[in-house]
Amino acid sequence: MGKAIQTKKWSRRLKVLAAALLTVGCLQVPVYAAESDGQIIRVAMFANLGSTYKSTTPLITLESSGRWNIGSESGASITLPAGQIRFSADGFRVKVLETGDFKTAAAAAKLLQATSDKPLLFTTSLNGKATYQLYTGNYATEALAGQAVARVQKVAAAQLGGQKPAVTGSKRLSAGVYSSLQEAETAQASFASAGVSSYMVLQLDGGSQGYAVWVGEASSEAELSAFKKSVEASVPGVSLSPVNSSNSAALIIRQDAGLSTDTLKVAPHYTIVGSEAKAFVQGDGSGIKVVERSGRTYRGDMEISIVSGDLALVNVVPLEQYLYSVVGAEVYSSWPAEALKVQAVAARSYALQQGDRFKIANVVDTTLSQAYNGMGSENDKVSSAVDATSGEVIKSGGKIVEAVFSSNAGGQTAHPSEVWNGGGDVFSNVDSQGDTSAQAGLQTWYHVLLSTGVSGYIREDNVKELTTKTDAGLAKVTVTAQNTNVRPVPLIQSNVEPVAKINPGNEAVVLAKVPQSNDYAWVRGPFTSAQLVKTLQGKTTSTVPSSISTLEVTKRGPSGRALEVTANGQPMTVKYADTYRSALGGLPSTLFDIAGTGSYTVLGADGKTASKTGSQGAAVLSASGTGTSSSNALVVMSGDGQARAVTQGQSFMIIGQGNGHGLGLSQWGAKGMADEGYDYQAILKHYYQNVTIVKE
């Protein structure tokens, strides 16, 4: 178990700083009480962790249906009514314009929204009037912000009214720290009446708790010094001191007016200042929605900080509640209860074994760890399976197993050497016959050859079988509707054009009948030489040829998965065998065969084989003697009666089984075993060797 997954309470109780209530500009400070007596897991959603994990966003928008709290470990806290709040990171921005007309600001924001310079619209009160301030950014450096000025000015020129966009930074001045909210509001009002933008600030560090009022957003010391003189001259009696942003931990509180570019919709906006600053957000128990994460709602609390200059969002949630979502996202709730229990124990074991893998978190919310979609993937049947196995984990040698799993092993799980280039006592290749359950009830597809020489697939409900056959005994079909699509693979792919369209009366030769591509059995392609050369680039440790005429699997592991793929006789070596999945265009698994559509192998009477290419010019022996093929496609049949078309021009079809790396648990295999009556512990011990199931 990693240091970040603990049984102690994850956050301390925070003290009350004030009792005043502020809605949209006002605050109330309550007790912050995100507590749990069970195990807690930290799930990173947004974070810049370099090569380990990178998913970033310039804004984080959270929403709650009830009252909620924002606070820090030091004791600072804010209570807000139901609704939305936004967070951003302090840094370099471009201030585009400042206007009293919302429509002008919103129009400029809408134009910028379509560019890489994302807009950020605030509202404040200056000289007793509502004012709208439009920014873009953040930018990593002042130079990058400077480059953005010209772009922004060009896009929003019609709305600027003579104003010139300018770079802003994080150099600010403090008017002081106040012991009460009322004192801070009074100080802020004096700046507003003088036409000077100021910001209420909640201090997050333990040394200076309370509220401060800051002014300025300079990008240089010289600019800050000139601004200080100007403000002190316009606001009588004010004394300003520089803010040390590098040592500060604070939330700048502003009002976001950019939730909609059509109508004015205001929400509190918190800009996080300081590399050590952390803000904790606690909802009312109904969940917290993360707008930038597809609007999903999550249990637990949220921690927001700055990591490597970018916003980081971590969901801090009780482990068992996390599993409610993970199990529901990873497998179907309609599966047998024993299969759901299998997934619960495997997912729990995997999560607990991760430790501090992601530095600020134990896991991430993608399939890089485990699929985690929040409360939307929860289901009563799934939750019951999690509860029924509460605390149970898989152990080997006294340690929790990193219980990796994949969707479908394709009939046999992978050996570690086929995935990790290593071995292990827990993982081995075992039969996984239950994987075939993935194709139960799926439609059949006809693999057909058209008179034009094109081959492809037509779904069974569009096919009408004919009584006539070819001279070789192959069946013929036509279709039942006009412009019926002939697909490149036995699957409807909305983003892939059909290879042809045929109409009733047009005949096609049936080469084979196959199930619809699924997690167990699939077909991908055809891939041209150019496509393969492009996808192999950067994925192999060997030089990729400029053109590929032959492609074949030349080495296989214990389960039959590809360990080496050769192009033109040259091995396309990869760091890990499983990398062949991405190297060959995103294949479901490495348990596959490759068929060149423009080549075939002939076994001679002398027992020797010869490779042939192309459909034309092939010697054909018929009842009338020996002739030469001159058609667009040549049908060849294997000794077991399997037919396929050989076409002019070489491309490659990849036919495989399984979905995922295939190591450890096969989810569909577990479902198949559960269908046959096996209980969850027997299933787990089938897929993980030399293990025990214990309750922690």
Side-chain angles (χ1 to χ4, degrees), residues 106-339:
K110 183 175 287 189
L111 291 171
L112 290 165
Q113 188 65 55
T115 72
S116 60
D117 299 294
K118 297 304 180 184
L120 188 57
L121 183 60
F122 295 115
T123 182
T124 188
S125 177
L126 295 176
N127 296 316
K129 296 180 180 179
T131 302
Y132 303 95
Q133 300 164 327
L134 179 64
Y135 296 78
T136 60
N138 287 354
Y139 303 95
T141 65
E142 183 178 2
L144 289 174
Q147 293 171 18
V149 168
R151 298 195 302 267
V152 167
Q153 188 165 13
K154 183 178 180 180
V155 171
Q159 283 74 35
L160 294 181
Q163 295 186 52
K164 292 184 178 181
V167 175
T168 65
S170 55
K171 297 183 182 298
R172 297 184 176 87
L173 301 166
S174 174
V177 178
Y178 303 92
S179 58
S180 73
L181 180 64
Q182 186 176 6
E183 290 177 335
E185 287 178 323
T186 300
Q188 187 181 36
S190 65
F191 288 106
S193 62
V196 177
S197 291
S198 61
Y199 325 108
M200 190 83 75
V201 176
L202 179 67
Q203 307 275 36
L204 298 179
D205 53 1
S208 56
Q209 294 178 15
Y211 290 95
V213 175
W214 291 356
V215 295
E217 49 189 6
S219 59
S220 68
E221 292 295 342
E223 183 184 343
L224 186 67
S225 178
F227 179 74
K228 181 175 184 292
K229 291 179 181 179
S230 172
V231 173
E232 288 179 339
S234 59
V235 184
V238 70
S239 177
L240 302 173
S241 58
V243 174
N244 188 338
S245 297
S246 61
N247 292 331
S248 297
L251 290 178
I252 298 176
I253 306 167
R254 301 180 76 171
Q255 294 303 309
D256 197 308
L259 297 175
S260 170
T261 54
D262 296 318
T263 56
L264 179 59
K265 187 177 180 182
V266 177
H269 186 114
Y270 303 94
T271 299
I272 301 180
V273 179
S275 59
E276 300 300 318
K278 290 182 181 179
F280 300 98
V281 180
Q282 179 189 25
D284 65 347
S286 61
I288 297 174
K289 180 184 291 186
V290 183
V291 173
E292 289 75 18
R293 220 47 167 175
S294 301
R296 294 170 181 153
T297 300
Y298 298 87
R299 293 177 180 268
D301 305 321
M302 297 293 174
E303 176 188 292
I304 304 173
S305 61
I306 300 175
V307 177
S308 300
D310 289 308
L311 281 175
L313 178 66
V314 175
N315 184 202
V316 185
V317 61
L319 175 61
E320 299 300 310
Q321 294 181 14
Y322 162 77
L323 293 174
Y324 292 161
S325 174
V326 168
V327 177
E330 286 285 355
V331 296
Y332 295 101
S333 61
S334 59
W335 283 7
E338 295 304 300

Side-chain angles (χ1 to χ4, degrees), residues 514-585:
V514 299
Q516 179 171 300
S517 280
N518 56 82
D519 283 341
Y520 174 70
W522 48 267
V523 179
R524 294 292 186 273
F527 299 107
T528 65
S529 169
Q531 288 172 323
L532 288 170
V533 168
K534 182 178 180 180
T535 190
L536 283 166
Q537 294 289 352
K539 305 285 179 53
T540 70
T541 56
S542 55
T543 302
V544 179
S546 58
S547 178
I548 297 175
S549 58
T550 63
L551 189 71
E552 57 185 332
V553 178
T554 47
K555 287 184 183 178
R556 296 186 182 275
S559 75
R561 284 169 169 79
L563 294 181
E564 181 184 83
V565 174
T566 299
N568 300 349
Q570 172 190 338
M572 296 289 96
T573 55
V574 292
K575 186 175 181 181
Y576 299 108
D578 196 56
T579 307
Y580 281 123
R581 285 199 285 160
S582 59
L584 293 172

